[in-house]
Amino acid sequence: AGVSPPVLHAGDGILITEFVPGTTLVQGHPVADDVLVRLAKALRRLADAPVPADLPAFDPVDICRGYVAALPAGTLPASRAARTEAILAATPKLGDRALIHADLIPENVIVAPDRLSIVDWEYAGRGDPAVDVAAVIMNFGLDDRQAALFLVAHGGVPTALARALEPVMALREALWCETQRHFAGVRGDLEEYSVLCWKRIDAPPA
């Protein structure tokens, strides 16, 4: 679909792509409107691309439940466990008709004047394009105006569905942080990122 760097080698657990000279987006930094439009169009091309038959399905509810099951009982405080279950129960049912990236944080987007590249495809799978759209709205911190701009530029996901998925996409990031903390320890900016992710979850519903 032309949305990632060309792959030079893939095998034996190693992936090598072309080097992309450009600027990596950063969590918490504003994103220009024109970059959002380019990203939306790239995701639409991805959603319209052929889907390999053997690609695993990616459903954010299943992913979240997997993280919860992997954590020792009592890892989440009761209030967060209850909020987690409420979010999962309220998440709309999704299809799996498209190829999705499923890990759209700013750091996985590289912008150059002549191309926009999406990297880090570890979680990619068959899923609903709304997953990627909702992830961008949530993880890029888009306000209502930029979210509307992004949705119009993409043109393939109903606004109501994308907005309904924002809580589960935020939850997926927060539970990923807890899983990393438990199995790999606190490294790099995990502590700060974990605080940011849980702040989104702990906030009272709008």
Side-chain angles (χ1 to χ4, degrees):
V3 301
S4 71
V7 175
L8 303 179
H9 172 81
D12 303 318
I14 298 171
L15 175 69
I16 302 173
T17 68
E18 273 190 12
F19 174 75
V20 179
T23 300
T24 302
L25 301 183
V26 178
Q27 186 83 229
H29 289 201
V31 183
D33 286 357
D34 66 304
V35 172
L36 283 177
V37 169
R38 291 169 66 187
L39 177 57
K41 291 181 177 179
L43 291 179
R44 181 59 188 269
R45 292 198 302 275
L46 180 65
D48 290 341
V51 183
D54 61 347
L55 201 64
F58 181 98
D59 183 287
V61 171
D62 290 344
I63 296 298
C64 288
R65 292 201 185 281
Y67 286 148
V68 171
L71 293 170
T75 299
L76 299 180
S79 60
R80 283 182 174 169
R83 181 86 175 105
T84 293
E85 188 53 42
I87 289 172
L88 297 180
T91 300
K93 296 293 184 182
L94 298 171
D96 60 359
R97 63 177 177 80
L99 173 60
I100 63 173
H101 180 273
D103 192 23
L104 281 164
I105 59 174
E107 287 77 7
N108 286 341
V109 178
I110 303 174
V111 181
D114 61 337
R115 68 193 290 187
L116 182 145
S117 298
I118 302 172
V119 298
D120 191 358
W121 293 81
E122 178 182 358
Y123 296 98
R126 286 184 294 107
D128 196 301
V131 168
D132 281 344
V133 171
V136 170
I137 293 173
M138 174 58 64
N139 295 328
F140 287 57
L142 304 189
D143 59 21
D144 288 343
R145 183 193 66 80
Q146 284 199 313
L149 173 73
F150 185 77
L151 284 157
V152 169
H154 185 281
V157 171
T159 297
L161 178 57
R163 303 315 294 253
L165 291 181
E166 288 179 47
V168 76
M169 299 314 297
L171 180 63
R172 185 256 185 175
E173 291 295 308
L175 292 174
W176 178 89
C177 289
E178 292 300 320
T179 305
Q180 292 295 310
R181 181 195 300 275
H182 176 73
F183 290 103
V186 178
R187 303 176 183 179
D189 65 350
L190 180 62
E191 185 64 39
E192 293 82 0
Y193 188 54
S194 180
V195 170
L196 170 65
C197 292
W198 280 116
K199 184 178 180 181
R200 295 168 176 164
I201 302 303
D202 294 335

